[in-house]
Amino acid sequence: MKNLLKLIIATLVVLVAFTSCNNSNSSTSGALSSNVAERVYVPPGQHDSHYAFISGGYSGNVTVYGLPSGRMFKEIPVFSQFPTSGYGYSEETKPLLNTSYGFIPWDDAHHPDISQTNGEIDGRYIFVNGNNTPRIAKIDLLTFETTEIIEIPNSAGNHSSSYVTDNTEYVVAGTRFAVPVPQKDMAIKDYKGNFKGTLSFIKVDSEDGGMEIKFQILMPGFDYDKAHPGRGKSHGWFFFTTYNTEEASTLLEVNASQNDKDFVAAVNWKMIEEYVNNGGGKMMPTNYAHNVYDESTHTATSTMKKEVRVIDPSEVPGALYFLPMPKSPHGCDVDPTGEYIVGSGKLSANVTVHSFTKMLDAIKNEKFSGDAYGIPILNFEDVLAGAVEQPGLGPLHTEFDDRGNAYTTFFISSEVVKWKLGTWEVLDRQPTFYSVGHLTIAGGNSRKPDGKYMFAMNKITKDRYLPTGPELEHSAQLYDISGDKMELLLDFPTHGEPHYAAAMRADIIKERSKKIYKLEENNHAYVAKTDDDVKVVRNGNEVHISMTTIRSHFSPDNIEGIRVGDKVYFHVTNLEQDFDVPHGFAIIGQNTSELLIMPGQTKTSVWEPKQVGVWPFYCTDFCSALHQEMQGYVRVSAANANTPLKWSLGEDIE
């Protein structure tokens, strides 16, 4: 009996020790057993270490998230009207959405990229493409507001955009859909040999970031999918993936997958720039909008441009080559050294990597396998650096860390695979949920990436969140990549349909973010800087109201003498100057949207009263304890009435 008791006690001791050991390990190993929540938790009052700027796809805008928390801080309106702030509704911002097709208040935003200096992210601007109505927009990161949009002529499906060179000399815009250039009425079956693609190089002013189309390269009628600039040793070159080198115009899922290889187009933009600076190229008549927001007048203007310089690459020998790439490539990615060009053939079992050094040697020694419309095609074997053998199914996009590793997304097998540059060895793989498209590493498309976080943007959410109907917000998943193995830390929903994102350390820009908006710098045509500037002026059936707003009242707050049929312009100036005190404005029957007037800013809303009566207006943005009292009235009389035009600044109208 004593022996049995001893055996039971010994067994219990072993079990307790084993359990204790397991509990000890559970806090330090494994994504689920470790305290992952602590690693993404940002305590109240503290800031995230990184910004992520995520494209909204069909939302037309860009969203700003913090990492590692996954909190969405802001939606920046770019190509789409935005009732939250009145962007695209106010008279000052409407011109930003003007195009040669008229006022287009929507687009399909795909690929943001951050400005760079010496190949490193400098945090000045975000550039992002409009894919549907071809456009490139610039967001100023001092204010996180869109300040310029330029339309891209001779283009359709502005997809291989917008990527910047090492010193933000250029941002590119490559067309996805070949079209007749210039446009004309012709049979679609005559596509082959007649339709063209264009690669647009947009010069960026080094002082203020202003954009101008420097030149367009007229290309064969392939589809130009993604792009990235050379950097370091390959600075001065740009690389674009192509598909549909078959030049099919129907049933592309079959007919554009016939060739064993498509191409990466390698463009020596430095050579073409010199050619252009010496007067090369031809000016082609066209029509496109260039829209610029003036920070001083708080008003955008739209200018229609009537010509663009077009380059025939056959006139610049040595400026353009095709590198064969396994069929239907998507991503076109260049590592931080500028040596390796990674192409992801969606229908290939491997991830193919070309060498820039070998490319230059092949060009020098004329190792060509033929040409396409006069553009030399380099021998595949002569430019091949290596391949990652059968790493997954459906490779799409690759980014890089600061330790010589690459990370590639696989759409079909729903995973991210980590591999080593130079040895092409697969080091790790982690599943995504589900059908991942692009991934982002902070600075992963620059010469100096940050190796802390990677996040994947998935196309299908499935069961990751509470169900909200047939269209769920897409899932992003944050991974810690600082160790040998990737570790999933967080799921967070994203708005719209993200395609690509750009990310950076927060310290690069958060201290530079504009905090004070000086009222004396406001040069709007209808600004009212004090109550002495407040006025109501009639000009025929137009009435212009120069109004001020401050916590917690409007001046004027009562207006009479407005008539049915008038066109009333409320020019509202926010007298606050601290960055976090906007004011709102809305009035019954306003058929645009409310306005958010930022500190020190003037914005204009048009109201066309249709009915006789007394109609209230009010502040839509909660600004103080007396926010509810921040209101006023407009008296509207009949169209033929003689009611005098009067207003009050706090007293009754007599």
Side-chain angles (χ1 to χ4, degrees), residues 196-462:
K196 300 293 182 183
T198 55
L199 306 178
S200 301
F201 282 71
I202 301 161
K203 188 71 175 174
V204 180
D205 187 275
S206 60
E207 294 299 320
D208 62 11
M211 299 186 290
E212 291 287 350
I213 299 175
K214 179 84 170 183
F215 58 85
Q216 293 186 315
I217 306 172
L218 199 60
M219 299 290 288
F222 309 150
D223 291 33
Y224 299 86
D225 197 8
K226 291 295 300 299
H228 262 101
R231 52 180 53 95
K233 63 174 65 179
S234 56
H235 178 64
W237 290 78
F238 229 107
F239 304 94
F240 300 80
T241 47
T242 72
Y243 66 98
N244 192 23
T245 52
E246 299 85 351
E247 295 181 85
S249 61
T250 185
L251 199 65
L252 261 63
E253 67 270 30
V254 174
N255 294 326
S257 302
Q258 300 301 305
N259 293 340
D260 181 56
K261 290 183 175 62
D262 290 301
F263 300 126
V264 166
V267 178
N268 187 332
W269 61 261
K270 281 280 193 182
M271 182 180 290
I272 295 179
E273 180 184 58
E274 182 179 0
Y275 172 73
V276 168
N277 289 342
N278 289 324
K282 296 178 181 178
M283 299 307 293
M284 177 184 288
T286 187
N287 192 37
Y288 66 96
H290 187 187
N291 310 324
V292 179
Y293 182 83
D294 188 308
E295 296 281 1
S296 173
T297 64
H298 302 176
T299 302
T301 55
S302 180
T303 305
M304 298 306 299
K305 300 297 185 82
K306 298 300 181 181
E307 60 181 8
V308 66
R309 187 175 297 275
V310 175
I311 308 302
D312 180 346
S314 68
E315 297 176 356
V316 196
L320 183 59
Y321 298 91
F322 283 137
L323 284 61
M325 186 62 66
K327 63 171 60 181
S328 298
H330 183 60
C332 184
D333 305 293
V334 179
D335 84 302
T337 70
E339 170 63 16
Y340 296 122
I341 305 144
V342 181
S344 299
K346 300 191 297 290
L347 302 180
S348 172
N350 301 333
V351 173
T352 299
V353 185
H354 286 324
S355 161
F356 179 72
T357 301
K358 287 188 173 184
M359 184 193 85
L360 293 183
D361 181 72
I363 291 170
K364 179 180 178 181
N365 293 291
E366 298 185 351
K367 296 180 178 179
F368 305 142
S369 62
D371 73 273
Y373 295 99
I375 299 169
I377 302 171
L378 301 176
N379 286 321
F380 179 75
E381 294 78 10
D382 289 321
V383 295
L384 181 67
V388 186
E389 300 287 342
Q390 299 184 337
L393 298 176
L396 285 187
H397 172 61
T398 301
E399 289 220 342
F400 309 91
D401 66 16
D402 55 350
R403 299 180 300 280
N405 302 312
Y407 301 75
T408 300
T409 56
F410 290 84
F411 179 81
I412 297 174
S413 52
S414 291
E415 59 184 333
V416 176
V417 174
K418 175 182 177 181
W419 50 277
K420 191 72 176 176
L421 286 161
T423 68
W424 327 121
E425 174 192 5
V426 172
L427 302 176
D428 189 25
R429 63 179 68 242
Q430 286 294 328
T432 60
F433 305 94
Y434 305 91
S435 298
V436 62
H438 288 267
L439 56 77
T440 295
I441 293 171
N445 60 342
S446 73
R447 293 174 65 181
K448 192 173 181 180
D450 182 314
K452 177 62 176 174
Y453 298 115
M454 174 270 291
F455 64 94
M457 288 157 280
N458 307 321
K459 299 299 184 184
I460 298 173
T461 300
K462 211 75 174 175

Side-chain angles (χ1 to χ4, degrees), residues 368-618:
F368 305 142
S369 62
D371 73 273
Y373 295 99
I375 299 169
I377 302 171
L378 301 176
N379 286 321
F380 179 75
E381 294 78 10
D382 289 321
V383 295
L384 181 67
V388 186
E389 300 287 342
Q390 299 184 337
L393 298 176
L396 285 187
H397 172 61
T398 301
E399 289 220 342
F400 309 91
D401 66 16
D402 55 350
R403 299 180 300 280
N405 302 312
Y407 301 75
T408 300
T409 56
F410 290 84
F411 179 81
I412 297 174
S413 52
S414 291
E415 59 184 333
V416 176
V417 174
K418 175 182 177 181
W419 50 277
K420 191 72 176 176
L421 286 161
T423 68
W424 327 121
E425 174 192 5
V426 172
L427 302 176
D428 189 25
R429 63 179 68 242
Q430 286 294 328
T432 60
F433 305 94
Y434 305 91
S435 298
V436 62
H438 288 267
L439 56 77
T440 295
I441 293 171
N445 60 342
S446 73
R447 293 174 65 181
K448 192 173 181 180
D450 182 314
K452 177 62 176 174
Y453 298 115
M454 174 270 291
F455 64 94
M457 288 157 280
N458 307 321
K459 299 299 184 184
I460 298 173
T461 300
K462 211 75 174 175
D463 53 3
R464 303 304 285 182
Y465 311 124
L466 289 170
T468 54
E471 174 66 8
L472 304 180
E473 294 286 31
H474 292 260
S475 170
Q477 294 184 297
L478 181 70
Y479 296 79
D480 185 332
I481 59 169
S482 60
D484 292 336
K485 299 295 183 181
M486 296 177 280
E487 188 173 359
L488 177 61
L489 300 180
L490 180 70
D491 275 21
F492 59 96
T494 54
H495 188 55
E497 189 209 354
H499 289 259
Y500 182 57
M504 62 188 298
R505 295 194 327 271
D507 63 274
I508 296 174
I509 58 173
K510 74 175 185 178
E511 298 307 322
R512 294 172 52 243
S513 183
K514 193 170 181 179
K515 301 296 192 298
I516 300 297
Y517 292 75
K518 296 179 180 178
L519 192 58
E520 60 266 26
E521 295 176 356
N522 182 339
N523 294 311
H524 191 283
Y526 291 92
V527 64
K529 297 182 180 180
T530 70
D531 282 355
D532 292 337
D533 300 324
V534 169
K535 56 188 173 182
V536 182
V537 177
R538 176 178 289 282
N539 182 13
N541 73 332
E542 285 190 1
V543 178
H544 290 268
I545 303 170
S546 293
M547 173 182 283
T548 65
T549 179
I550 195 169
R551 287 169 286 187
S552 299
H553 69 272
F554 292 99
S555 295
D557 58 0
N558 288 326
I559 302 165
E560 295 187 0
I562 305 300
R563 304 168 191 155
V564 171
D566 281 346
K567 195 169 187 178
V568 183
Y569 292 81
F570 290 94
H571 307 287
V572 188
T573 300
N574 183 355
L575 300 182
E576 314 277 0
Q577 297 180 74
D578 194 352
F579 78 103
D580 65 345
V581 191
H583 289 295
F585 174 85
I587 188 168
I588 289 178
Q590 191 173 5
N591 61 359
T592 53
S593 82
E594 58 88 41
L595 296 180
L596 278 190
I597 307 98
M598 300 304 158
Q601 187 179 64
T602 302
K603 277 189 179 178
T604 303
S605 182
V606 174
W607 180 56
E608 299 184 56
K610 302 292 194 299
Q611 301 176 41
V612 167
V614 178
W615 309 106
F617 59 85
Y618 67 104

